[in-house]
Amino acid sequence: MNFLEKRIVEDGQVLSSSVLKVDSFLNHQVDPELMEKIGKEMAVRFQGTGITKIVTIESSGIAPAVFTGLSLGVPVIFARKQKSVTLQDGLFSAEVYSFTKQQTNTICLSAQFLTSGDRVLIIDDFLAYGEAALGLCEMVQQVGAVIAGIGIVIEKSFQPGRQKLEKKGYRVESIARIQEMKEGSLTFLTNIKEETFHE
Amino acid sequence: MNFLEKRIVEDGQVLSSSVLKVDSFLNHQVDPELMEKIGKEMAVRFQGTGITKIVTIESSGIAPAVFTGLSLGVPVIFARKQKSVTLQDGLFSAEVYSFTKQQTNTICLSAQFLTSGDRVLIIDDFLAYGEAALGLCEMVQQVGAVIAGIGIVIEKSFQPGRQKLEKKGYRVESIARIQEMKEGSLTFLTNIKEETFHE
């Protein structure tokens, strides 16, 4: 298990076959040292891909994104979740359906911080159905910038998010990939790249 | 001028006598290196005060808070803004009136991450009327924890936030203190402590 998988096993709570609660280190209480490690690991995985900007979404994406930005030496933009569809001038927006909340939200990004010359790394805390990541990609592409990759902290690999993103040609890197969850237990999906984490 | 005051002068936009837009490095696009510097400066200002936890509020408080947490070696909890007053079990809440948006929001914090033995540093991006900081203090005190101090990135010193907080006995440290704003210009309030920033 890598450092994040270990932490999930120690401090996460599997509430059902689809709900993992990681409120103690990622979604409500945040462990800054863990976030720094995540940022360094993201930077290793995407090194040499010419990233110029990171785009994430408030709120839980911000901590992993700013540490990735620090490691890669690039600015971070966090998209805003808006309940209202009233948009200001110069704002890109996308509709994101939340399967958890069963509602559609409009997310937005100011046009002034991205240009067509940017190579963007999308960072988010969870990948499940992929709707938030797709919405972020859509906004980035509205400005003509390139998606260099998508970096996810925790991927629920039994849900279709990765497939949807890969089908669109995006490279997805997730630090922890969960293969299956049952109340009280979970298993990770490991591949050769992730084996490098073993100590 | 210190590093943050310089950045405000270079990249901030004074939109009116009360509105400062710092979307390019703090509120929408975030400069991770600047956030790291802010975290280190907060840690210097509050060193030796026995802080065990940082509490902030989503979303713009998160980046400065996690870097402060990294420098002090303590976890960060970000309070959630809730539109609904329907609260789950084990949640502390406070009402926060926003003068900007002219509406009252309920903010909340899970009871499980704070104990009466904690010494809490409140971190926020802006201090204006002090309502958000007061709401955070109120929740922290509901659990019986001690407020060790309040660390602010940008203080609008011409608004009553600091006075309200100091009147309650809280120590307030702000990295940039704005004395006055006029469309297109601003002046900082400096004191001997802040002079140490001069290079």
Side-chain angles (χ1 to χ4, degrees):
Chain A
M1 284 194 287
N2 70 35
F3 68 95
L4 179 62
E5 291 165 342
K6 279 181 196 156
R7 187 62 176 270
I8 293 167
V9 169
E10 280 165 24
D11 294 332
Q13 287 175 273
V14 181
L15 298 185
S16 71
S17 60
S18 63
V19 181
L20 173 66
K21 202 175 174 187
V22 287
D23 267 16
S24 64
F25 59 86
L26 180 59
N27 294 132
H28 186 36
Q29 179 168 260
V30 178
D31 177 344
E33 282 181 30
L34 183 75
M35 295 302 121
E36 188 185 37
K37 270 192 180 178
I38 287 169
K40 286 181 179 169
E41 177 61 24
M42 290 291 183
V44 166
R45 295 204 187 190
F46 289 99
Q47 72 190 353
T49 61
I51 288 157
T52 59
K53 287 272 163 72
I54 289 170
V55 170
T56 188
I57 185 162
E58 61 182 358
S59 291
S60 295
I62 296 174
V66 287
F67 281 104
T68 306
L70 186 72
S71 285
L72 287 170
V74 300
V76 173
I77 307 164
F78 62 91
R80 295 280 191 177
K81 285 172 187 166
Q82 285 207 326
K83 300 267 165 187
S84 153
V85 289
T86 314
L87 296 172
Q88 299 161 39
D89 287 345
L91 230 46
F92 292 111
S93 67
E95 300 283 298
V96 173
Y97 180 73
S98 165
F99 283 86
T100 318
K101 296 175 187 161
Q102 298 199 313
Q103 65 182 32
T104 300
N105 288 315
T106 302
I107 62 171
C108 64
L109 199 67
S110 172
Q112 74 181 113
F113 303 120
L114 277 179
T115 69
S116 59
D118 277 316
R119 289 182 61 80
V120 175
L121 172 60
I122 305 284
I123 294 282
D124 208 1
D125 58 334
F126 269 93
L127 175 61
Y129 290 87
E131 297 295 307
L134 284 168
L136 292 171
C137 290
E138 191 191 308
M139 287 191 298
V140 168
Q141 288 179 324
Q142 280 174 45
V143 74
V146 171
I147 307 286
I150 298 167
I152 299 293
V153 180
I154 302 174
E155 173 186 319
K156 294 197 250 175
S157 307
F158 54 87
Q159 286 173 336
R162 174 183 281 264
Q163 274 170 284
K164 284 194 222 169
L165 295 169
E166 286 183 340
K167 207 171 166 183
K168 295 217 169 217
Y170 303 133
R171 174 181 164 200
V172 180
E173 291 283 344
S174 305
I175 300 183
R177 299 182 68 188
I178 298 169
Q179 188 170 36
E180 196 185 9
M181 298 201 297
K182 288 178 199 163
E183 204 167 327
S185 77
L186 81 176
T187 52
F188 294 105
L189 197 66
T190 46
N191 58 32
I192 291 158
K193 183 174 276 173
E194 282 161 11
E195 287 296 322
T196 59
F197 276 114
H198 286 89
E199 285 163 324
Chain B
M1 285 193 287
N2 69 33
F3 67 95
L4 180 61
E5 291 165 343
K6 279 181 197 158
R7 187 61 178 268
I8 292 167
V9 168
E10 280 165 25
D11 294 331
Q13 286 175 273
V14 181
L15 298 185
S16 73
S17 61
S18 64
V19 181
L20 173 66
K21 200 174 175 188
V22 287
D23 268 15
S24 65
F25 58 86
L26 180 60
N27 295 132
H28 185 36
Q29 180 167 260
V30 178
D31 177 343
E33 281 180 31
L34 183 76
M35 295 302 122
E36 187 184 39
K37 270 193 180 175
I38 287 169
K40 285 181 180 169
E41 177 61 24
M42 291 290 184
V44 167
R45 296 203 186 190
F46 289 100
Q47 72 189 354
T49 61
I51 288 156
T52 59
K53 287 271 162 75
I54 289 170
V55 169
T56 187
I57 185 163
E58 61 182 0
S59 292
S60 296
I62 296 174
V66 288
F67 281 104
T68 306
L70 187 72
S71 285
L72 288 169
V74 300
V76 173
I77 307 165
F78 62 92
R80 294 280 191 177
K81 286 174 188 165
Q82 285 205 327
K83 300 268 163 182
S84 153
V85 289
T86 314
L87 296 172
Q88 300 160 41
D89 289 346
L91 231 46
F92 292 111
S93 66
E95 300 283 296
V96 172
Y97 181 72
S98 166
F99 284 86
T100 318
K101 294 175 189 166
Q102 298 199 312
Q103 66 182 33
T104 300
N105 289 315
T106 303
I107 61 170
C108 63
L109 198 67
S110 172
Q112 74 182 114
F113 302 120
L114 277 179
T115 70
S116 59
D118 276 316
R119 289 182 60 81
V120 175
L121 172 60
I122 304 283
I123 295 282
D124 208 2
D125 59 334
F126 268 93
L127 176 62
Y129 290 88
E131 297 294 308
L134 284 169
L136 291 172
C137 290
E138 192 189 309
M139 288 192 296
V140 169
Q141 288 178 323
Q142 280 174 44
V143 75
V146 171
I147 306 287
I150 298 165
I152 299 293
V153 180
I154 302 174
E155 173 186 319
K156 294 196 252 177
S157 306
F158 53 89
Q159 286 174 334
R162 174 182 281 263
Q163 273 169 285
K164 286 194 219 170
L165 295 170
E166 286 182 340
K167 208 171 167 184
K168 296 217 167 218
Y170 302 133
R171 174 182 165 200
V172 180
E173 291 284 345
S174 306
I175 300 184
R177 299 182 67 188
I178 298 169
Q179 187 170 37
E180 196 186 10
M181 299 201 297
K182 288 178 198 162
E183 203 166 331
S185 76
L186 80 178
T187 53
F188 295 104
L189 197 65
T190 46
N191 58 33
I192 291 157
K193 184 174 275 172
E194 281 159 10
E195 288 298 322
T196 58
F197 277 114
H198 285 89
E199 285 162 325

